[in-house]
Each structure stands twice: as C-alpha cells, then as structure tokens.
Amino acid sequence: MASKINEAHEHIAKAEKNLKTSMTKWKPDFDSAASEYAKAAVCFKNAKQFEQAKDAYLKEAEYHTENKALFHAAKAIEQAGMMMKDLKKMPEAIQYIEKASMMYVENGTPDTAAMALDRAGKLIEPMSLEKAVDLYQQAAGVFENEDRLRQSAELLGKASRLLVRLRRLDEAATALQKEKNMYKDIENYPTCFKKTTAQVLVHLHRNDFVAADKCVRESYSLPGYSGSEDCVAMETLLQGYDEQDEDQVHRVCNSALLKYMDNDYAKLAISLKVPGGGVKKKKSATATQGGAGAPAASAEDDDDYEGGLC
C-alpha cells in the first residue's frame, strides 16, 4: 500500500513538472499532466486512499478541460464520483456524476450521459428513491431528445415504479402514459398491454374509476388488445370494482397475470380494495323465483288490503 502511495506522488511530481513553463517551453503540457494525474488516481485507488484518488481525478479533469478534451474530463469527474461512492458519500458522488453527464452532453455524447445518470440512479436508489426518480427521468429525457425511445421508455419505467413505491400516484399515472405512448410509437404492443394494466391499478388506487376505464377503452385501438388476456382481465376487474364485487376483484388481482407483474404493481393489485367496504351484491331468491318465499314485509302489505278495497 505504501509503495502505491509513493508511486502516486511520483506521478503528481511529474505532472507538476509538465505544467511548468520556461524560456524554451512557453505553454504548459496539459495533456501529459492529465495523464500523470490519471495514473496517480489509480495508484491512490489501489491503495484505498479514495479521498486522494478523488482529488487526483479532479486534477486530471481540470487539465483535460484546459486541453479542450471534454469527454476525458467528464470521465475523470465521473471517476471522482465513484471515489465518493466508495467513501459512502453518496450526495457528493451523485453531484459529480450529474456534472459529468452535463459535460458528456456538451461534448456531443448524450448516450454516455444517459448511461451515467442511469448508473447514478442505481447507486442512490437504496438511499433516496426521490433522487433516483429524478436521475432516471433526466436520463430518459436525454434519450428522448435523441429519439432513442426504447431506452427512454425503459428508464421512465424505472421512474414510474419508484413513484408508485413512493405513493406519488398522480405522477406515476402521468409517467406511465408517457411510457405507454413511447412503446406504442415503436410498435411494442404487448408491452403497451402491460402498461394499460399498470395504469388501471394506479388509477383505481387514486379512486379514479373514470380514468381507469378510459385507459382500457383507449387501448382497444392497439392491435391485438381487444379480447386479449390482459384486456379481459381489466374488463373483469373494472366490472367487479364498479359493482363492488369483492370476490371478482380478488380473483383478478390474485391471478397469475397480475401477481407476476413488476413487484410494485403486483403490490398495488393485491392491496386493491373495492369501494363501499367491498360487500358483494347478491340477487335474492325472491327476485329469481317471481315472489315465492316473499319476505315478511310483503306479507304485511298483503294484509293491509285483505278483503278488498272496500
């Protein structure tokens, strides 16, 4: 470990030498200095001196920027973020990665920017779902601007699921609709079917039956949706919910089709309650048998008129 630290300091000394000017050397050698700081950062990293490694990566980024090498500067800043991750300083780590992503976009490499934001989202997700949502949505926006709709939709999907987990259901409904529209644009209709199911569950938890029903009706225009397993399940679920038929709603929500959705949506399904306490409406025997076995109230009505109207 000590040898790696000594080696790192040797690289820093070389970097500083490359930055010096003289009568015969008018301009600092930023490229060589950046290279030496990169080597120093790796040595510090291998010696588990993450704070010093971070500082070396930032110096590398500084000199790449001086040399107009924005892509390499962004990579160095992203690496500085990873050192903060190893130090368990996640807010600082995310700040560096977000800064790097902006530089990737400026450099004309938006795909790299979006992937960096995606990685940052995964890192912060165990600690802050809210920040992870923000990062996934940023990444989705970068891909959307590049007309990379499949990648954008996948990242929106991550954000939608976390919004459900956070119970930010209005935002989840909006994100799901955008996600579904993207899958429709790339003609991935089976995934649209699944997104419709997720929408219905979200809207019913928002107590918005009209919006849930509208999602299903709009999906009839999707090739193959009408009469599909997904469609029949949602029609049955909405009917049971509307009629306060708890048994029917329970059957659909506990079917394999919904139980094996993404976990956050599966939880919405099994926790769905019908309005009014979920009392199943049953037809009385009287109604089905034309009055046979009429209740006492009916008998009393007959007694009132016993013997005729006079």
Side-chain angles (χ1 to χ4, degrees), residues 13-290:
K14 289 179 183 178
E16 295 301 320
K17 186 177 179 180
N18 286 319
L19 292 170
K20 288 180 179 178
T21 57
S22 66
M23 293 293 291
T24 56
K25 181 187 172 190
W26 294 359
K27 293 179 62 177
D29 186 351
F30 293 122
D31 187 48
S32 296
S35 178
E36 292 298 335
Y37 269 111
K39 293 173 185 176
V42 171
C43 291
F44 282 131
K45 179 181 175 182
N46 290 339
K48 299 193 183 302
Q49 301 299 302
F50 299 123
E51 189 73 44
Q52 290 172 285
K54 179 261 295 182
D55 291 338
Y57 278 125
L58 292 178
K59 279 292 187 181
E60 178 196 354
E62 179 184 338
Y63 296 126
H64 277 312
T65 303
E66 290 283 358
N67 208 37
K68 311 300 183 189
L70 279 184
F71 180 82
H72 294 298
K75 288 295 280 185
I77 290 173
E78 188 179 355
Q79 284 301 312
M82 298 309 290
M83 295 306 97
M84 290 293 94
K85 185 264 295 185
D86 289 333
L87 285 168
K88 309 253 186 294
K89 295 181 178 180
M90 292 308 298
E92 293 93 331
I94 299 308
Q95 286 175 6
Y96 283 127
I97 297 172
E98 284 188 284
K99 182 177 179 180
S101 72
M102 291 172 63
M103 293 177 72
Y104 287 134
V105 172
E106 289 174 26
N107 184 65
T109 50
D111 283 11
T112 311
M115 288 186 285
L117 290 167
D118 182 20
R119 285 193 293 273
K122 290 173 186 172
L123 288 176
I124 200 68
E125 194 173 312
M127 281 142 279
S128 173
L129 295 181
E130 291 86 353
K131 185 59 181 177
V133 167
D134 177 49
L135 290 164
Y136 290 142
Q137 289 178 331
Q138 284 187 58
V142 173
F143 275 131
E144 185 181 6
N145 289 339
E146 297 300 307
D147 289 326
R148 301 282 295 277
L149 295 187
R150 182 181 63 80
Q151 291 88 343
S152 183
E154 288 173 357
L155 285 158
L156 274 179
K158 292 183 181 184
S160 300
R161 290 191 291 275
L162 295 187
L163 287 168
V164 166
R165 202 177 305 172
L166 289 164
R167 303 301 293 182
R168 288 160 55 181
L169 298 181
D170 290 351
E171 294 171 74
T174 300
L176 273 166
Q177 184 61 52
K178 186 172 184 179
E179 189 186 346
K180 180 177 167 182
N181 289 341
M182 287 183 179
Y183 281 116
K184 183 179 178 181
D185 286 343
I186 61 175
E187 299 182 354
N188 185 341
Y189 300 121
T191 302
C192 290
F193 301 172
K194 302 304 178 189
K195 298 306 168 184
T196 299
T197 299
Q199 284 181 300
V200 168
L201 292 170
V202 167
H203 284 311
L204 292 182
H205 273 273
R206 293 175 61 242
N207 299 313
D208 193 340
F209 178 86
V210 173
D213 186 59
K214 182 181 177 183
C215 286
V216 174
R217 292 182 183 280
E218 287 179 344
S219 294
Y220 289 148
S221 64
L222 297 171
Y225 184 72
S226 184
S228 67
E229 182 183 18
D230 302 84
C231 178
V232 171
M234 289 304 96
E235 289 173 337
T236 306
L237 175 61
L238 289 172
Q239 180 191 42
Y241 189 90
D242 190 39
E243 296 177 357
Q244 299 183 4
D245 188 335
E246 191 173 46
D247 290 346
Q248 185 164 313
V249 169
H250 182 269
R251 281 196 304 273
V252 177
C253 287
N254 284 271
S255 66
L257 185 70
L258 273 66
K259 284 176 73 174
Y260 294 112
M261 293 180 72
D262 288 315
N263 195 43
D264 293 298
Y265 298 123
K267 285 181 178 178
L268 283 185
I270 61 176
S271 63
L272 183 64
K273 304 296 181 186
V274 299
V279 178
K280 182 176 180 180
K281 293 182 177 180
K282 296 181 180 179
K283 293 181 180 179
S284 67
T286 305
T288 56
Q289 295 176 19

Side-chain angles (χ1 to χ4, degrees), residues 3-13 39-41 43-44:
S3 64
K4 284 294 178 186
I5 294 172
N6 289 335
E7 186 181 344
H9 286 295
E10 288 172 9
H11 286 300
I12 290 173
K39 293 173 185 176
C43 291
F44 282 131

